[in-house]
Coordinates of all heavy atoms in Angstrom, one line a residue:
D20 N 92.3 117.5 105.5 CA 91.4 117.8 104.4 C 92.0 117.4 103.0 O 91.5 117.7 102.0 CB 91.0 119.2 104.3 CG 90.1 119.6 105.5 OD1 89.3 118.7 105.9 OD2 90.1 120.8 105.9
E21 N 93.2 116.7 103.1 CA 93.8 116.4 101.8 C 93.6 114.9 101.4 O 93.6 114.0 102.3 CB 95.4 116.5 102.0 CG 95.8 117.9 102.3 CD 97.3 118.0 102.5 OE1 98.0 117.2 102.1 OE2 97.7 119.0 103.2
S22 N 93.3 114.7 100.2 CA 93.2 113.3 99.6 C 94.5 112.7 99.6 O 95.5 113.3 99.3 CB 92.6 113.4 98.2 OG 92.5 112.1 97.7
Y23 N 94.6 111.4 100.0 CA 95.8 110.7 100.1 C 96.3 110.1 98.7 O 97.4 109.9 98.5 CB 95.7 109.6 101.1 CG 97.0 109.2 101.8 CD1 97.8 110.2 102.4 CD2 97.5 107.9 101.8 CE1 99.0 109.9 103.0 CE2 98.6 107.6 102.5 CZ 99.4 108.6 103.1 OH 100.5 108.3 103.7
G24 N 95.3 109.9 97.8 CA 95.6 109.4 96.5 C 95.6 107.9 96.4 O 95.7 107.2 97.4
L25 N 95.3 107.4 95.2 CA 95.1 105.9 95.0 C 96.3 105.1 95.4 O 96.2 104.1 96.1 CB 94.7 105.7 93.5 CG 94.5 104.2 93.1 CD1 93.3 103.6 93.9 CD2 94.2 104.1 91.6
A26 N 97.5 105.4 94.9 CA 98.7 104.6 95.2 C 98.9 104.6 96.7 O 99.2 103.5 97.3 CB 99.9 105.1 94.4
K27 N 98.9 105.7 97.4 CA 99.1 105.7 98.8 C 98.0 105.0 99.6 O 98.3 104.3 100.5 CB 99.3 107.1 99.3 CG 100.6 107.8 98.8 CD 100.8 109.2 99.3 CE 102.1 109.8 98.8 NZ 102.3 111.1 99.2
A28 N 96.8 105.1 99.1 CA 95.7 104.4 99.7 C 95.9 102.9 99.6 O 95.7 102.2 100.6 CB 94.4 104.8 99.1
R29 N 96.3 102.4 98.5 CA 96.7 101.0 98.3 C 97.8 100.6 99.3 O 97.7 99.5 99.9 CB 97.0 100.7 96.9 CG 95.8 100.7 96.0 CD 96.3 100.4 94.5 NE 95.1 100.2 93.7 CZ 95.2 100.3 92.4 NH1 96.3 100.5 91.7 NH2 94.1 100.1 91.6
N30 N 98.8 101.4 99.4 CA 99.9 101.1 100.3 C 99.4 101.0 101.7 O 99.9 100.1 102.5 CB 101.0 102.1 100.2 CG 101.8 102.0 98.9 OD1 101.8 100.9 98.3 ND2 102.4 103.1 98.4
M31 N 98.5 101.9 102.1 CA 98.0 101.8 103.5 C 97.2 100.6 103.7 O 97.2 100.0 104.8 CB 97.2 103.1 103.8 CG 98.0 104.3 103.9 SD 97.1 105.8 104.3 CE 96.7 105.6 106.0
G32 N 96.5 100.1 102.7 CA 95.8 98.9 102.7 C 96.7 97.7 102.9 O 96.4 96.7 103.6
L33 N 97.9 97.7 102.2 CA 98.9 96.7 102.4 C 99.4 96.6 103.8 O 99.6 95.5 104.3 CB 100.1 96.9 101.5 CG 99.9 96.5 100.0 CD1 101.1 97.0 99.2 CD2 99.8 95.0 99.9
I34 N 99.5 97.7 104.5 CA 99.9 97.7 105.9 C 98.9 97.0 106.8 O 99.3 96.2 107.6 CB 100.2 99.2 106.4 CG1 101.4 99.8 105.7 CG2 100.3 99.2 107.9 CD1 101.5 101.3 105.8
E35 N 97.7 97.1 106.5 CA 96.6 96.5 107.3 C 96.3 95.1 106.9 O 95.7 94.3 107.7 CB 95.3 97.3 107.2 CG 95.4 98.7 107.8 CD 95.8 98.6 109.3 OE1 95.3 97.8 110.0 OE2 96.6 99.5 109.7
A36 N 96.7 94.7 105.7 CA 96.4 93.3 105.2 C 97.1 92.3 106.0 O 98.3 92.4 106.4 CB 96.8 93.3 103.7
T37 N 96.4 91.1 106.2 CA 97.0 90.0 106.9 C 97.1 88.8 106.0 O 97.6 87.7 106.4 CB 96.2 89.6 108.2 OG1 94.9 89.3 107.8 CG2 96.2 90.7 109.2
G38 N 96.6 88.8 104.8 CA 96.7 87.7 103.9 C 98.0 87.4 103.3 O 98.9 88.3 103.2
E39 N 98.2 86.2 102.9 CA 99.5 85.8 102.2 C 99.4 86.1 100.7 O 100.4 86.3 100.1 CB 99.7 84.3 102.4 CG 100.0 83.9 103.8 CD 100.2 82.4 104.0 OE1 100.6 81.7 103.0 OE2 99.9 81.9 105.1
I40 N 98.2 86.3 100.2 CA 98.0 86.7 98.9 C 97.2 88.0 98.9 O 96.2 88.1 99.7 CB 97.2 85.6 98.0 CG1 98.1 84.4 97.9 CG2 96.8 86.2 96.7 CD1 97.4 83.2 97.2
V41 N 97.6 89.0 98.1 CA 96.9 90.3 98.1 C 96.3 90.5 96.7 O 96.9 90.3 95.7 CB 97.9 91.4 98.4 CG1 97.2 92.8 98.3 CG2 98.4 91.2 99.8
V42 N 95.0 90.9 96.7 CA 94.3 91.2 95.5 C 93.8 92.6 95.6 O 93.2 93.0 96.6 CB 93.1 90.2 95.3 CG1 92.3 90.6 94.1 CG2 93.5 88.8 95.2
F43 N 94.2 93.4 94.6 CA 93.7 94.8 94.5 C 92.4 94.8 93.6 O 92.4 94.3 92.5 CB 94.7 95.7 93.9 CG 96.0 95.9 94.8 CD1 97.1 95.1 94.5 CD2 96.0 96.8 95.8 CE1 98.2 95.2 95.3 CE2 97.1 96.9 96.6 CZ 98.2 96.1 96.3
C44 N 91.4 95.5 94.2 CA 90.1 95.6 93.4 C 89.6 97.0 93.7 O 89.1 97.2 94.8 CB 89.2 94.5 93.8 SG 87.6 94.6 92.9
D45 N 89.6 97.8 92.7 CA 89.0 99.2 92.9 C 87.5 99.0 93.1 O 86.8 98.1 92.6 CB 89.3 100.1 91.7 CG 90.7 100.5 91.7 OD1 91.5 100.2 92.6 OD2 91.2 101.1 90.7
D46 N 86.9 100.0 93.8 CA 85.5 99.9 94.2 C 84.5 99.8 93.0 O 83.4 99.3 93.1 CB 85.1 101.2 95.0 CG 85.4 102.5 94.3 OD1 85.7 102.5 93.1 OD2 85.2 103.5 95.0
R47 N 84.9 100.2 91.8 CA 84.0 100.2 90.7 C 84.0 98.9 89.9 O 83.2 98.7 89.0 CB 84.4 101.3 89.7 CG 85.7 101.1 89.0 CD 86.0 102.3 88.1 NE 87.2 102.0 87.3 CZ 88.4 102.1 87.7 NH1 88.7 102.4 89.0 NH2 89.4 101.9 86.9
L48 N 84.9 98.0 90.3 CA 85.0 96.7 89.6 C 84.3 95.6 90.5 O 84.7 95.4 91.6 CB 86.4 96.3 89.3 CG 87.2 97.3 88.4 CD1 88.6 96.9 88.3 CD2 86.5 97.3 87.0
I49 N 83.4 94.9 89.9 CA 82.8 93.8 90.6 C 83.5 92.5 90.2 O 83.6 92.1 89.0 CB 81.3 93.6 90.2 CG1 80.5 94.9 90.5 CG2 80.6 92.4 90.8 CD1 80.3 95.2 91.9
M50 N 84.0 91.8 91.2 CA 84.8 90.6 90.9 C 83.8 89.4 90.6 O 82.8 89.2 91.2 CB 85.6 90.2 92.2 CG 86.7 91.2 92.5 SD 87.5 90.8 94.0 CE 88.4 89.4 93.6
H51 N 84.3 88.6 89.6 CA 83.6 87.3 89.3 C 83.6 86.5 90.6 O 84.6 86.5 91.3 CB 84.3 86.7 88.2 CG 83.6 85.4 87.7 ND1 83.8 84.2 88.3 CD2 82.8 85.2 86.7 CE1 83.1 83.3 87.7 NE2 82.5 83.9 86.7
P52 N 82.5 85.7 90.8 CA 82.5 84.8 92.0 C 83.7 83.9 92.2 O 84.0 83.4 93.3 CB 81.2 84.1 91.9 CG 80.3 85.0 91.1 CD 81.3 85.6 90.1
G53 N 84.3 83.5 91.1 CA 85.5 82.6 91.1 C 86.8 83.3 91.0 O 87.8 82.6 90.9
A54 N 86.8 84.6 91.1 CA 88.1 85.3 90.9 C 89.1 85.0 91.9 O 90.3 84.7 91.6 CB 87.8 86.8 90.8
V55 N 88.8 85.1 93.2 CA 89.7 84.9 94.3 C 90.2 83.4 94.2 O 91.4 83.2 94.3 CB 89.1 85.2 95.7 CG1 90.1 84.8 96.8 CG2 88.8 86.7 95.7
A56 N 89.3 82.5 94.0 CA 89.8 81.1 93.9 C 90.7 80.9 92.7 O 91.7 80.2 92.8 CB 88.5 80.2 93.7
A57 N 90.5 81.6 91.6 CA 91.4 81.5 90.4 C 92.8 82.1 90.8 O 93.8 81.5 90.4 CB 90.8 82.2 89.2
F58 N 92.8 83.2 91.5 CA 94.1 83.8 91.9 C 94.8 82.8 92.8 O 96.0 82.6 92.6 CB 93.9 85.1 92.6 CG 93.7 86.3 91.7 CD1 92.5 86.9 91.6 CD2 94.8 86.8 91.0 CE1 92.3 88.0 90.8 CE2 94.6 87.9 90.2 CZ 93.4 88.5 90.1
V59 N 94.2 82.3 93.8 CA 94.8 81.4 94.7 C 95.3 80.1 94.0 O 96.4 79.7 94.2 CB 93.9 81.0 95.9 CG1 94.4 79.9 96.7 CG2 93.5 82.2 96.7
T60 N 94.5 79.5 93.1 CA 94.9 78.4 92.4 C 96.2 78.6 91.6 O 97.1 77.9 91.6 CB 93.8 77.9 91.4 OG1 92.7 77.5 92.3 CG2 94.2 76.7 90.6

């Protein structure tokens, strides 16, 4: 019944991630359609 917290939640996401590039995006932020391409470039 305990909340894990934002930082720990992000860390758990990193464990599951398989990408060579990692982008953090909180649920309240809508990414621009070209954001991922810009990061990769």
Side-chain angles (χ1 to χ4, degrees):
D20 290 331
E21 297 176 22
S22 176
Y23 209 53
L25 180 60
K27 289 182 180 178
R29 286 179 174 164
N30 287 337
M31 289 180 77
L33 278 172
I34 291 168
E35 295 300 321
T37 59
E39 292 177 28
I40 295 175
V41 176
V42 175
F43 292 98
C44 180
D45 288 354
D46 58 6
R47 70 184 186 280
L48 299 175
I49 302 291
M50 293 173 71
H51 183 278
V55 175
F58 276 111
V59 171
T60 299

